[in-house]
Amino acid sequence: ITLARAGFTIAESISTAQTTVVSNKIAHGDKSDARKYYRKYRLASMVLLISGYTFYFIVKSLVPDFYIFNKLMPDSFVLSAFIFFTLLLFLTTSNNFTRCFKIEPFVKVSLWHSLAVPFIYLVTSMYFPFLYLYPCIFILIVSILWSKKIEKNIYLTLGN
């Protein structure tokens, strides 16, 4: 999980570093340019993350006896962690763009997945360890759908 989280943190920093520029564009009434600008960096974040995760599996298939691979979880668990953090990057980068409008409409969504993910992970790891992180992925999918609904309503209100 730490390996997957490290990749997530690095990838997220690409788009997060652009929030000041995006917020400035929005403040000056250039919402369309701000959206295009942010999408470019969001795409770069996603490509970097997915490339890094793919690189992991390529290296593991080429050099399976490398000592570090013996210390990691099985590939099926690692894959679930990679999917989890890819979806988390999608959620956070999407929500961060909306936050550039100087609003915070995702309190309930953040509360939901901040409480549900650890709880579900604890329960499933104790009683259903074969499910890996897939129940947590379900929680993130609900969060993504909920956030998209909120975003749609906000953008209709803002006239985007």
Side-chain angles (χ1 to χ4, degrees):
I1 292 178
T2 303
L3 178 70
R5 176 141 177 91
F8 164 81
T9 303
I10 292 166
E12 184 188 32
S13 70
I14 291 172
S15 58
T16 302
Q18 302 307 314
T19 54
T20 303
V21 174
V22 173
S23 294
N24 188 41
K25 288 177 182 288
I26 290 169
H28 287 91
D30 205 354
K31 295 174 190 173
S32 177
D33 189 42
R35 185 182 310 271
K36 288 177 193 171
Y37 182 86
Y38 193 79
R39 279 185 181 161
K40 180 174 65 171
Y41 283 94
R42 182 179 182 198
L43 178 62
S45 293
M46 293 297 290
V47 167
L48 178 67
L49 186 66
I50 293 169
S51 297
Y53 290 166
T54 303
F55 182 72
Y56 167 85
F57 283 116
I58 290 171
V59 170
K60 187 162 185 188
S61 69
L62 295 175
V63 192
D65 296 331
F66 190 59
Y67 75 96
I68 227 163
F69 295 127
N70 297 331
K71 300 178 186 316
L72 299 175
M73 299 293 285
D75 284 350
S76 52
F77 182 87
V78 171
L79 179 62
S80 73
F82 288 175
I83 293 169
F84 176 84
F85 282 105
T86 300
L87 289 174
L88 184 61
L89 182 65
F90 180 82
L91 175 67
T92 58
T93 55
S94 181
N95 291 357
N96 286 345
F97 177 75
T98 303
R99 289 181 179 115
C100 289
F101 287 90
K102 306 294 184 222
I103 55 175
E104 178 46 75
F106 304 110
V107 173
K108 290 179 183 176
V109 176
S110 295
L111 184 63
W112 152 252
H113 75 256
S114 294
L115 295 175
V117 167
F119 176 75
I120 294 298
Y121 179 73
L122 176 66
V123 170
T124 57
S125 64
M126 289 172 50
Y127 301 108
F128 309 102
F130 58 90
L131 293 177
Y132 306 119
L133 291 176
Y134 293 107
C136 297
I137 290 169
F138 176 75
I139 300 295
L140 279 183
I141 290 171
V142 170
S143 297
I144 289 169
L145 295 174
W146 190 1
S147 291
K148 289 298 174 189
K149 182 179 179 193
I150 291 169
E151 284 176 16
K152 181 181 176 186
N153 292 336
I154 288 170
Y155 294 150
L156 286 173
T157 303
L158 294 173
N160 289 328

